[in-house]
Amino acid sequence: MKKNEITLSAFHSKYTLGASLVAIFILFPISIVFIKAADVKYTVNQTQLIIAILSLVFGFLIVVMKSTVQKISFIKSEDQFYLKDEKGNEVHLPDNTTYNIYNYNSRKAFMLRVTTRAGTKYFLSPDMNVKSDIEEFFTKFSKKPNRKDFYIKAYPYLICCAYVIISIVLVLFI
């Protein structure tokens, strides 16, 4: 890593969001209905079937996330700051850029939100080693909360609640 350039590995937000919604709201209910329809009699076989099918459902999510990892570079050139993706697209970060970093109570991943006049970009990164470098890079910009931050913080909790509710409803009522 150069002093004026930081490269961050980040999951592609659009695909990660889509894959999590498909896994929780489509694949997971289908798998529960399949497990109930299979009507396996022995407890050991039921447990093995449940583990196998749920591993496939959440394996789908992991495969999508891992296959869409992209490299994002944050570049400082004199007084100019840029964000550059793998395709070579550069986005100038003006002085009124705001950002925020979320930990999600995790030691394994963090989310970076960068807001400019052009729009808001989210970067979910499993690379905790560069988090301090990212914070140092963005010291020139203001770190202030945004209305969108609430949705980003709430999303994992909403997915967990949906997972629990779908599990209970499908197991008890179907």
Side-chain angles (χ1 to χ4, degrees), residues 23-90:
I24 294 297
F25 293 109
I26 296 172
L27 296 177
F28 181 63
I30 289 171
S31 65
I32 289 179
V33 169
F34 175 76
I35 290 169
K36 288 191 70 136
D39 197 30
V40 179
K41 300 292 181 200
Y42 300 104
T43 307
V44 173
N45 293 343
Q46 286 175 345
T47 304
Q48 290 173 344
L49 180 64
I50 290 168
I51 290 171
I53 290 178
L54 292 180
S55 295
L56 289 172
V57 168
F58 292 106
F60 160 77
L61 181 60
I62 292 168
V63 166
V64 168
M65 289 179 72
K66 287 289 190 177
S67 64
T68 62
V69 170
Q70 56 186 348
K71 300 284 186 192
I72 305 296
S73 297
F74 297 95
I75 303 165
K76 178 182 178 185
S77 172
E78 297 172 12
D79 279 346
Q80 301 294 319
F81 293 85
Y82 296 95
L83 180 141
K84 184 178 179 181
D85 64 8
E86 288 178 331
K87 298 174 186 171
N89 301 329
E90 283 189 2

Side-chain angles (χ1 to χ4, degrees), residues 6-10 70-72 74 110 112 123 125 130 134:
I6 301 167
T7 302
L8 177 71
S9 296
Q70 56 186 348
K71 300 284 186 192
I72 305 296
F74 297 95
F110 69 95
L112 170 66
F123 305 102
S125 177
V130 298
I134 292 291

Side-chain angles (χ1 to χ4, degrees), residues 104-105 150-164:
Y104 287 124
N105 298 323
F150 172 75
Y151 302 113
I152 296 303
K153 290 178 184 177
Y155 183 74
Y157 299 111
L158 291 173
I159 288 295
C160 290
C161 289
Y163 175 77
V164 169

